[in-house]
Amino acid sequence: MKRRITILGATGSVGQSTIDLIARARDSYRVVALTGGHNVAQLARDAIALSAEIAVTAHEDRLDDLRARLAGTGIEAAAGEAALIEAAARPSDWVMSAIIGAAGLRPGLAALEQGAVLALANKETLVCAGALVRRVAARAGARILPVDSEHSAVFQALAGANMDAVDRIILTASGGAFRDWPVERLEHATLAEASRHPNWNMGQRITIDSASMFNKAMEVIEVQQLFDVSPERIEVLVHPESLVHALVGFRDGALMAHVGVPDMRHAIGYALHWPERRALPVERLDLARIGQMSFAAPDEGRWPALRLAREVMAAGGLRGAAFNAAKERALDGFIAGRIGFCDMARMVETVLARMEGDAALIDGEMTLDNVMATDHLARRRADEAMAQRTG
Ligand code: NDP
């Protein structure tokens, strides 16, 4: 029996690495759906190469282009958010959630509702709506497997151990593009400089989030939600070489680390073949050649995103959705050249403070409607804050 596979965000960095693994063992898989955004050329190419049942673009104005590229192939073409959700809801055994941003939430929930194994790269899903996502997964009997490299590393280092035996979880952070910059220089960091990651080859948005540490901040919230661990047990450790992806500290003092080359196909492949470990086309680490690794405590003055994430976790409610939405808009503003690099954290902090005036919403029940309402309101507040800042 072929395994039925769906890839949400197939045209992105994680999506393409997933396709690379699937394409190497095509006969083992039946590809149900591939989804993408603007890049319909890539989407159509992959849908044809993998004989997908359906290809969906998020953007309705790209549908004609997608249809034209798929003409005569028998592959369905569709567009828009409802079509993305419908594709995710088609029966599949394994769904990769690799859309970027809060846009990944609803399709991910649809995949969980149909009981698929959800390989979760889209960290926003858990940051915005962790309790809701876990509730839906439990109700449907669906399994979430982490794909974010640090979270996959924690999952692997835990090796099924009882969480009672866990003292702490340590997420490593490369420190991003600016780890060695003097803090004063960060104010003037350009888009080109922030878009170059020293170790990982990733999409532009997550690369910038790595430079600002918003990516790690999101991951701290994600790890709390995935493993149900209290915030004070989650630590961040700067590790410039990006070889140790995470460590789990047990109550007997043992530290179990996951060590490997920075290649997302490792975490994706682990989630694809779990609970087995199969051969993967990733480079073997030669520790003798590497010689040494370094570690340092993060400087929260340099990276206010980490402090903000701790505040969000401490206050709880729907603040994760507000945090993510404000961060997404701040990132849009930085990419568009409207605000500076350090303004992103200032903007998120401003939005979070203003959202405290909407306590009925952010301390409300975690339903999808409330999450979406929080997301929309935080985006509006972020746009207001940006307009004030840019005059
Ligand atoms: P990319 O930006 O490379 O790709 C994002 C994917 O989502 C693309 O297929 C894109 O389509 C699609 N997309 C963009 N906007 C929308 C939208 N509004 N609705 C539906 N689809 C959309 O992202 P990454 O692959 O880098 O990251 C994906 C997720 O995985 C993120 O949540 C990220 O944090 C997480 N992650 C990424 C890692 C990495 O190595 N890149 C590592 C760990 C986690 P198109 O390009 O066609 O417009």
Side-chain angles (χ1 to χ4, degrees):
M1 273 282 277
K2 292 189 178 187
R3 229 168 144 209
R4 295 166 303 175
I5 302 277
T6 284
I7 305 173
L8 308 171
T11 51
S13 166
V14 172
Q16 288 291 297
S17 294
T18 310
I19 286 177
D20 176 74
L21 294 179
I22 301 289
R24 287 166 192 265
R26 271 214 51 191
D27 291 346
S28 308
Y29 305 108
R30 199 178 101 208
V31 175
V32 176
L34 296 183
T35 83
H38 291 104
N39 193 351
V40 291
Q42 185 71 49
L43 181 61
R45 239 183 344 262
D46 290 332
I48 293 167
L50 297 175
S51 308
E53 282 172 21
I54 183 169
V56 185
T57 161
H59 309 294
E60 297 190 3
D61 60 352
R62 299 288 162 116
L63 182 57
D64 288 345
D65 188 356
L66 181 62
R67 274 207 183 111
R69 290 172 191 273
L70 294 176
T73 62
I75 299 169
E76 284 175 68
E81 197 194 13
L84 282 180
I85 294 169
E86 192 276 327
R90 290 189 178 203
S92 273
D93 301 304
W94 190 90
V95 177
M96 164 56 74
S97 162
I99 290 173
I100 190 131
L105 174 59
R106 283 192 214 246
L109 282 171
L112 284 174
E113 269 159 7
Q114 53 104 347
V117 170
L118 187 69
L120 189 64
N122 177 277
K123 59 196 78 178
E124 295 85 350
T125 297
L126 287 170
V127 171
C128 295
L132 170 67
V133 170
R134 288 190 290 158
R135 216 162 54 224
V136 169
R139 199 172 55 219
R143 172 111 209 176
I144 299 173
L145 294 177
V147 170
D148 219 341
S149 58
E150 295 77 359
H151 303 71
S152 172
V154 170
F155 185 56
Q156 294 181 54
L158 278 168
N162 192 325
M163 285 307 287
D164 290 347
V166 173
D167 225 16
R168 59 191 174 137
I169 289 180
I170 304 173
L171 301 181
T172 56
S174 70
F178 306 139
R179 65 179 171 230
D180 300 323
W181 282 32
V183 182
E184 317 76 69
R185 208 178 140 201
L186 291 178
E187 291 285 354
H188 311 290
T190 66
L191 177 60
E193 288 164 338
S195 303
R196 276 193 298 268
H197 197 283
N199 307 336
W200 291 91
N201 180 14
M202 307 186 288
Q204 186 192 38
R205 295 181 72 87
I206 184 175
T207 301
I208 301 169
D209 280 350
S210 296
S212 63
M213 272 299 183
F214 268 111
N215 183 49
K216 203 55 53 184
M218 301 269 291
E219 288 177 4
V220 168
I221 302 175
E222 184 187 10
V223 91
Q224 179 205 14
Q225 293 298 329
L226 260 177
F227 300 103
D228 209 7
V229 58
S230 55
E232 64 279 6
R233 287 172 187 264
I234 306 168
E235 298 173 15
V236 173
L237 184 65
V238 175
H239 168 47
E241 295 87 358
S242 294
L243 298 173
V244 177
H245 303 304
L247 305 99
V248 176
F250 290 91
R251 63 181 166 203
D252 61 0
L255 267 180
M256 302 297 284
H258 180 282
V259 188
V261 291
D263 182 335
M264 277 307 289
R265 290 176 305 173
H266 211 130
I268 297 167
Y270 186 75
L272 182 61
H273 301 308
W274 179 88
E276 289 176 31
R277 270 192 196 276
R278 296 204 192 151
L280 292 173
V282 296
E283 193 191 322
R284 270 39 182 171
L285 198 55
D286 181 347
L287 287 173
R289 185 174 58 78
I290 287 160
Q292 47 189 324
M293 294 192 250
S294 49
F295 302 94
D299 170 1
E300 295 205 0
R302 170 186 290 265
W303 290 302
L306 293 175
R307 170 179 55 80
L308 294 173
R310 296 221 175 264
E311 290 170 9
V312 163
M313 287 191 296
L318 284 96
R319 288 170 184 78
F323 178 67
N324 175 66
K327 190 275 296 178
E328 286 193 30
R329 293 305 287 147
L331 181 57
D332 292 339
F334 176 65
I335 291 173
R338 294 186 66 195
I339 58 171
F341 182 76
C342 296
D343 292 332
M344 288 192 283
R346 293 186 192 113
M347 239 183 83
V348 172
E349 186 156 18
T350 302
V351 173
L352 287 172
R354 290 191 188 161
M355 293 293 288
E356 291 303 317
D358 305 291
L361 180 60
I362 57 171
D363 286 320
E365 196 191 339
M366 190 175 281
T367 61
L368 184 55
D369 284 349
N370 282 345
V371 171
M372 296 320 293
T374 303
D375 176 279
H376 292 156
L377 184 59
R379 279 171 205 266
R380 216 174 63 222
R381 297 242 185 281
D383 290 346
E384 289 160 8
M386 184 131 52
Q388 280 167 4
R389 191 171 289 281
T390 55

